[in-house]
């Protein structure tokens, strides 16, 4: 029996909806002993996984439909996890092979702080997921605030992050956003109220994401099955909809790791006097010098120190 390659686009506990390369969707099961080496997770597969499967000849699904059996999962380029609520210390893989995370931010209504942005960026670096910063609600920006936005864009573009200004109200930036999303698997993130649902609705009218309602269910503990889904976009590509999206950005990191996830800090660290420099109290620190020289933004350094959980005295201004 020949094996076919497919993409997992929906998981509901023990069933996996797999999209074959020719577009056909097939409900698949997995072998009971299916495990991925090196990962201690409660679920062996997640949306975004590429799998090999075979059609079962003798068995049919609940509605008499053809079903498949997944025999292998192909290597993941990345994946995001959510820690289990129980004490087993197992994590739950919530999505794999994510091409990009779109972080929607707003200057006001609500205020998205640079601390929040930087924490998110650091977590995404840890997960090896590229982030695009979307500055939404541009229609609400008063002339005096434009400078602030431009300053932030310059800061983050300077570090290497793509930035885009949008307004769901005037549709500013929507064609550009579409262009960035074509044929990619995108994750939407951002504080509540920044406009995620509104933007998604503009991109694909009628798409009702379940993210919110599911994460509420998780909180009350009523929902136990692993649910996640990827929605195909008419213009090509997917939006990943999982209950774990909210948890993304709260990754636990060791101190030594944190500096690796601030790109511009990591780049300079080789010039520090000590090769294990934490860029806090050490003499001859190239990072602190760069902050003094204005080459590294004070807000970024402050976020870094904040993530280290270090004493106030290391925070700017100096
Ligand atoms: P979510 O929590 O991130 O999904 O945010 P919503 O999409 O629910 O949006 C929150 C509120 O902001 C709604 O009242 C939207 O109509 C409004 N909103 C979203 N985008 C914009 C925008 O670009 N401009 C303005 N003025 N309002 C917006
Ligand atoms: Zn240093």
């Amino acid at each position: 029996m020949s094996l076919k390659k497919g993409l997992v686009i929906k998981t509901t506990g023990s069933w996996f909806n797999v999209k074959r390369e020719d577009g056909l969707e097939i409900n698949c099961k997995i072998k009971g002993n299916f495990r991925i080496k090196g990962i201690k997770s409660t679920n062996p597969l997640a949306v975004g996984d590429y799998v090999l499967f075979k059609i079962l000849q003798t068995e049919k699904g609940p509605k008499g439909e053809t079903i498949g059996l997944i025999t292998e999962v192909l290597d993941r380029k990345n994946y995001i996890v959510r820690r289990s609520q129980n004490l087993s210390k197992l994590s739950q893989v919530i999505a794999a092979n994510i091409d990009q995370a779109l972080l929607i931010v707003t200057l006001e209504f609500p205020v998205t702080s640079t601390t929040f942005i930087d924490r998110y960026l650091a977590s995404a670096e840890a997960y090896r997921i590229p982030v695009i910063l979307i500055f939404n609600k541009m229609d609400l920006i008063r002339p005096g605030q434009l400078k602030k936005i431009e300053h932030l864009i310059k800061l983050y573009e300077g570090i290497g992050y793509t930035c885009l200004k949008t307004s769901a109200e005037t549709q500013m930036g929507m064609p550009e956003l579409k262009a960035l999303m074509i044929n990619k698997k995108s994750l939407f993130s951002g504080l509540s109220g920044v406009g995620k649902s509104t933007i998604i609705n503009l991109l694909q009218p009628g798409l009702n994401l379940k993210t919110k309602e599911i994460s509420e269910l998780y909180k009350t503990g009523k929902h136990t099955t692993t649910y996640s889904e990827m929605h195909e976009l008419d213009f090509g590509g997917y939006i990943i909809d999982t209950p774990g999206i909210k948890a993304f950005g709260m990754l636990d990191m060791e101190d030594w790791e944190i500096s690796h996830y601030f790109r511009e800090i990591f780049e300079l660290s080789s010039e520090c006097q000590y090769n294990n420099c934490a860029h806090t109290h050490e003499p001859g620190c190239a990072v602190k010098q760069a902050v003094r020289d204005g080459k590294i933004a004070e807000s970024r350094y402050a976020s870094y120190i904040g993530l280290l959980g270090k004493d106030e005295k290391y925070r700017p201004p100096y």
Side-chain angles (χ1 to χ4, degrees):
M1 188 65 226
S2 71
L3 289 174
K4 296 271 185 258
K5 189 181 163 189
L7 173 66
V8 177
I9 57 169
K10 188 175 173 180
T11 76
T12 47
S14 48
W15 286 97
F16 300 89
N17 219 324
V18 176
K19 197 172 171 92
R20 219 163 58 176
E21 278 168 332
D22 61 8
L24 192 76
E25 280 177 35
I26 295 173
N27 235 352
C28 290
K29 304 197 293 187
I30 47 172
K31 283 196 221 149
N33 60 355
F34 195 99
R35 284 280 173 276
I36 298 177
K37 270 179 261 147
I39 303 174
K40 283 188 182 160
S41 66
T42 53
N43 58 325
L45 287 175
V47 292
D49 266 324
Y50 288 99
V51 294
L52 298 180
F53 69 98
K54 61 183 174 192
I55 300 292
L56 291 174
Q57 298 298 336
T58 53
E59 216 180 314
K60 298 285 172 205
K63 293 176 198 132
E65 76 279 19
T66 296
I67 58 170
L69 183 72
I70 295 169
T71 56
E72 200 178 319
V73 58
L74 304 183
D75 283 346
R76 293 169 171 159
K77 74 170 176 184
N78 60 33
Y79 59 92
I80 53 176
V81 297
R82 207 172 65 103
R83 219 153 338 118
S84 294
Q85 317 286 40
N86 59 32
L87 294 171
S88 68
K89 291 206 177 140
L90 287 174
S91 52
Q92 185 191 352
V93 178
I94 52 182
N97 301 316
I98 301 154
D99 291 310
Q100 59 193 9
L102 304 170
L103 180 61
I104 318 294
V105 303
T106 44
L107 201 59
E108 282 183 332
F109 321 113
V111 173
T112 305
S113 68
T114 50
T115 314
F116 177 82
I117 296 175
D118 295 335
R119 274 173 182 261
Y120 188 91
L121 293 177
S123 292
E125 290 285 334
Y127 280 126
R128 281 175 285 128
I129 299 170
V131 181
I132 296 177
L133 291 172
I134 311 287
F135 292 83
N136 192 37
K137 304 203 183 183
M138 283 303 294
D139 58 293
L140 299 180
I141 296 295
R142 295 184 297 278
Q145 296 174 307
L146 201 57
K147 259 186 155 162
K148 232 176 168 174
I149 296 267
E150 296 302 344
H151 170 79
L152 286 173
I153 291 179
K154 201 169 153 220
L155 194 176
Y156 288 106
E157 282 185 341
I159 309 168
Y161 294 101
T162 301
C163 296
L164 181 67
K165 290 181 279 192
T166 62
S167 163
E169 186 72 22
T170 65
Q171 306 220 2
M172 168 189 186
M174 288 302 139
E176 291 85 351
L177 181 54
K178 257 188 193 174
L180 288 169
M181 292 175 65
I182 284 180
N183 297 333
K184 300 231 164 96
K185 300 187 200 85
S186 305
L187 192 67
F188 269 75
S189 306
L191 296 172
S192 175
V194 292
K196 295 181 293 295
S197 328
T198 314
I199 291 175
I200 289 168
N201 244 315
L202 279 175
L203 294 168
Q204 179 88 36
L207 193 62
N208 291 312
L209 297 197
K210 294 151 189 109
T211 312
K212 269 186 199 160
E213 129 200 13
I214 297 284
S215 54
E216 292 308 313
L217 282 171
Y218 262 105
K219 261 187 226 149
T220 58
K222 283 179 195 147
H223 197 82
T224 48
T225 45
T226 317
Y227 170 94
S228 56
E229 192 166 1
M230 290 203 306
H231 297 281
E232 194 160 11
L233 297 160
D234 289 343
F235 58 84
Y238 290 92
I239 291 177
I240 300 161
D241 183 21
T242 95
I245 289 181
K246 282 196 174 172
F248 183 62
M250 293 187 281
L251 198 67
D252 277 340
M253 288 179 267
E254 301 287 339
D255 278 6
W256 63 266
E257 277 184 293
I258 294 172
S259 68
H260 290 212
Y261 302 140
F262 283 72
R263 290 180 185 177
E264 76 282 37
I265 289 179
F266 183 59
E267 260 171 38
L268 263 187
S269 56
S270 61
E271 291 172 30
C272 293
Q273 191 174 327
Y274 298 101
N275 59 17
N276 61 348
C277 187
H279 323 303
T280 53
H281 60 281
E282 298 87 346
C285 172
V287 170
K288 283 208 299 189
Q289 188 58 48
V291 179
R292 277 184 225 112
D293 294 344
K295 289 177 187 147
I296 287 180
E298 287 196 357
S299 64
R300 289 280 292 171
Y301 184 72
S303 295
Y304 166 67
I305 294 295
L307 269 180
L308 284 182
K310 286 290 188 294
D311 199 273
E312 285 289 331
K313 72 183 175 206
Y314 296 120
R315 290 168 201 249
Y318 307 101

